[in-house]
Amino acid sequence: MQTVVLGTSGTTPQDVIDVARHGARVELSTEAVHALAAARAVIDALAAKPEPVYGVSTGFGALATRHISHELRAQLQRNIVRSHAAGMGPRVEREVVRALMFLRLKTVASGHTGVRPEVAQTMADVLNAGITPVVHEYGSLGCSGDLAPLSHCALALMGEGDAEGPDGVLKPAGELLAAHGIAPVELKEKEGLALLNGTDGMLGMLVMALADLDTLYKSADITAALSLEALLGTEKVLEPELHAIRPHPGQAAAAANMLAVLKGSGLTGHALAGEAPRVQDAYSVRCAPQVAGAGRDTMAHARLVAERELAAAVDNPVVLSDGRVASNGNFHGAPVAYVLDFLAIAAADLGSIAERRTDRLLDKNRSHGLPPFLAEDAGVDSGLMIAQYTQAALVSEMKRLAVPASADSIPSSAMQEDHVSMGWSAARKLRTAIGNLNRIIAVELYAATRGIELREGLTPAPASQAAIDALRAAGVEGPGPDRFLAPDLAAADTFVREGKLLAAVEPVTGPLA
């Protein structure tokens, strides 16, 4: 099994994916253990002094004015975890919780939180045992970080609450810890606060979203190229010289991908008998690289933000390298929340343009010779009429999901936390949007491949044929009389989501950008 070693300087997107989705083991480097011990010594020294220090010997948030005596401090740390584990609603996905736990451990390992090495090791042990605390959909305002979700994870470290074992069975967390030989932690000064105070949930979902969108944007370039072929469009608008004079890198990459897919096509630029020559294709075809390219450039900015956050130590207060313990506002989720919302906007537009191409394929007045709704016997057969309805409904929902969460704020903690990021909400709706986008692209794939196969006597590009062959081999049927359509669409959705469309095309085109 792959192992990810955490040091003091953050982690990488691939490490997050490996731990969250593939169950990679987590280890603490010797450097991290030493940094943890050094920071803890600072906290222990402050805890012994009579002067109050926020998070060490005071209450929290609006209750920070109370100085807490030595004998109540362990109770204080337990209480903050228990009281903050106040999430509601459905459970979030296992991969999200694993990313959340791993990224909190990443900050702890930085040596800026004052958490003891043994607590950090327990966090790694829980991940490695495949124990996944129950975290709920609702409870985070994205400031101070993802408090409720992280609290549910910290609760499991204490042996309280519920968790899912590696077998997928839900049990009391204390039972699961005992079954794997893990002793529950007894939190000391500052440790409860340090386990709760970060942007780890929204960041983990951002990292996974970027990985998913990378596949989806390449897949959308492929389906756009297939639709162009099915509509007998022209590939001349994809020439690199045209995109060089508007030098957006994402646009150039999308055009190059489409051109690679279309290489050797016998359908592009084909004029039907009796049809006036087409000077230009519709915007949904001609402007596909511009829309997909803008989304790619948005992703590039989001990656930059994610990489910075992955290198960060997000906690309040923090132990600085000079030994000071200082309060800050680094837990505010605005940087992450903004890009999560930006990505939802871009994804909605990519889904919208894909749906417009599908609609064009189905309309006999605009499809340049294809049968109505790509039906076998139009009138007796409805063809893909309602598949496009489903796609349109998904696009409509994506437009609603594109409304930014980060433009909102709601005061909390008796107005101490009077401006919040709503980053967790931005991340949750982006995950829904990505699932919808995958389905939208799958419907375009289904329609475009059928349209190409209905162009009898014309030969598609080798890459297009490879996509069609792989889709048919996956059990998604081609043209014919009406049949129960939902299983075909579900299979096409899985085909795209699992990267099989890319896997079919790239051996012909080479790696797509």
Side-chain angles (χ1 to χ4, degrees):
M1 182 179 290
Q2 187 175 351
T3 298
V4 171
V5 179
L6 275 176
T8 59
S9 56
T11 190
T12 68
Q14 190 58 53
D15 285 345
V16 177
I17 298 294
D18 288 341
V19 173
R21 290 183 164 170
H22 307 307
R25 289 183 57 79
V26 181
E27 292 182 2
L28 297 169
S29 70
T30 302
E31 171 200 29
V33 173
H34 289 161
L36 284 158
R40 185 64 210 179
V42 173
I43 296 299
D44 286 341
L46 288 172
K49 292 183 176 181
E51 297 84 8
V53 178
Y54 177 71
V56 177
S57 53
T58 70
F60 309 111
L63 302 176
T65 54
R66 179 177 171 184
H67 184 231
I68 308 299
S69 61
H70 284 276
E71 61 272 16
L72 292 177
R73 289 179 190 171
Q75 181 181 339
L76 171 71
Q77 300 303 317
R78 287 195 302 272
N79 284 352
I80 190 175
V81 173
R82 289 169 175 165
S83 66
H84 286 41
M88 295 181 73
R91 290 171 57 191
V92 302
E93 304 81 2
R94 181 177 185 270
E95 67 178 20
V96 172
V97 180
R98 285 186 61 82
L100 178 78
M101 296 164 68
F102 173 66
L103 289 169
R104 182 72 324 218
L105 180 56
K106 175 268 298 182
T107 280
V108 166
S110 70
H112 289 294
T113 68
V115 169
R116 289 169 294 153
E118 51 265 43
V119 175
Q121 185 58 55
T122 301
M123 296 170 75
D125 292 343
V126 169
L127 277 167
N128 294 339
I131 298 171
T132 307
V134 170
V135 172
H136 298 279
E137 180 80 18
Y138 303 108
S140 175
L141 299 178
C143 186
S144 304
D146 294 317
L147 285 173
L150 284 162
S151 297
H152 282 277
C153 294
L155 194 70
L157 293 176
M158 292 164 47
E160 300 180 21
D162 293 326
E164 181 184 289
D167 57 0
V169 177
L170 200 65
K171 293 181 180 179
E175 289 184 19
L176 289 168
L177 294 183
H180 290 85
I182 301 171
V185 297
E186 295 186 13
L187 300 174
K188 299 183 70 173
E189 289 94 344
K190 193 183 179 299
E191 290 181 329
L193 183 62
L195 295 180
L196 317 184
N197 218 344
T199 57
D200 308 292
M202 63 184 92
L203 176 58
M205 286 186 275
L206 172 60
V207 170
M208 290 185 285
L210 286 167
D212 294 338
L213 287 168
D214 183 67
T215 297
L216 281 175
Y217 269 81
K218 293 172 185 176
S219 299
D221 290 340
I222 296 169
T223 59
L226 293 171
S227 291
L228 185 151
E229 278 191 292
L231 292 166
L232 307 179
T234 177
E235 80 282 15
K236 294 187 183 300
V237 295
L238 304 173
E239 292 175 352
E241 295 83 359
L242 294 172
H243 299 278
I245 62 174
R246 194 191 190 195
H248 295 291
Q251 176 180 322
N257 285 348
M258 289 181 66
L259 203 56
V261 173
L262 293 169
K263 185 176 181 180
S265 175
L267 284 86
T268 56
H270 187 89
L272 292 176
E275 186 178 79
R278 241 182 302 161
V279 178
Q280 296 183 131
D281 291 312
Y283 282 12
S284 61
V285 177
R286 190 184 354 149
C287 301
Q290 284 77 7
V291 171
R296 273 187 168 78
D297 292 341
T298 300
M299 287 171 61
H301 172 60
R303 282 195 193 95
L304 178 62
V305 172
E307 287 166 3
R308 289 170 176 164
E309 197 76 355
L310 288 169
V314 179
D315 192 16
N316 178 49
V318 291
V319 182
L320 297 174
S321 55
D322 60 8
R324 285 182 295 142
V325 175
S327 290
N328 66 85
N330 286 342
F331 47 71
H332 199 287
V336 182
Y338 290 170
V339 294
L340 288 162
D341 281 333
F342 295 165
L343 290 173
I345 293 168
D349 201 32
L350 187 64
S352 179
I353 197 171
E355 183 275 331
R356 288 293 80 204
R357 290 191 294 265
T358 303
D359 181 67
R360 184 165 288 272
L361 286 164
L362 271 54
D363 183 351
K364 70 181 181 63
N365 296 312
R366 295 179 290 140
S367 65
H368 306 285
L370 290 171
F373 303 104
L374 305 180
E376 174 86 355
D377 183 4
V380 174
D381 294 317
S382 294
L384 306 190
M385 180 190 294
I386 307 305
Q388 185 268 330
Y389 280 34
T390 299
Q391 191 187 39
L394 289 163
V395 169
S396 183
E397 184 181 25
M398 287 194 72
K399 292 174 182 177
R400 295 192 296 273
L401 292 167
V403 175
S406 59
D408 189 27
S409 176
I410 190 161
S412 56
S413 191
M415 294 298 285
Q416 175 72 3
E417 298 171 8
D418 58 353
H419 183 83
V420 297
S421 77
M422 303 308 298
W424 173 274
S425 299
R428 296 306 295 167
K429 69 184 183 65
L430 177 59
R431 283 180 70 85
T432 302
I434 287 171
N436 285 353
L437 178 60
N438 198 98
R439 297 179 186 100
I440 290 164
I441 292 170
V443 174
E444 183 182 17
L445 173 66
Y446 190 69
T449 53
R450 180 182 282 211
I452 289 171
E453 288 178 307
L454 289 170
R455 297 291 189 185
E456 295 181 3
L458 297 175
T459 305
S464 303
Q465 190 61 58
I468 293 168
D469 292 345
L471 187 64
R472 301 293 172 252
V476 180
E477 295 186 38
D482 280 357
R483 55 183 171 269
F484 180 26
L485 208 52
D488 271 1
L489 297 179
D493 178 38
T494 300
F495 185 79
V496 174
R497 187 176 63 255
E498 293 181 350
K500 292 179 180 177
L501 177 58
L502 268 179
V505 167
E506 287 190 321
V508 180
T509 61
L512 298 180

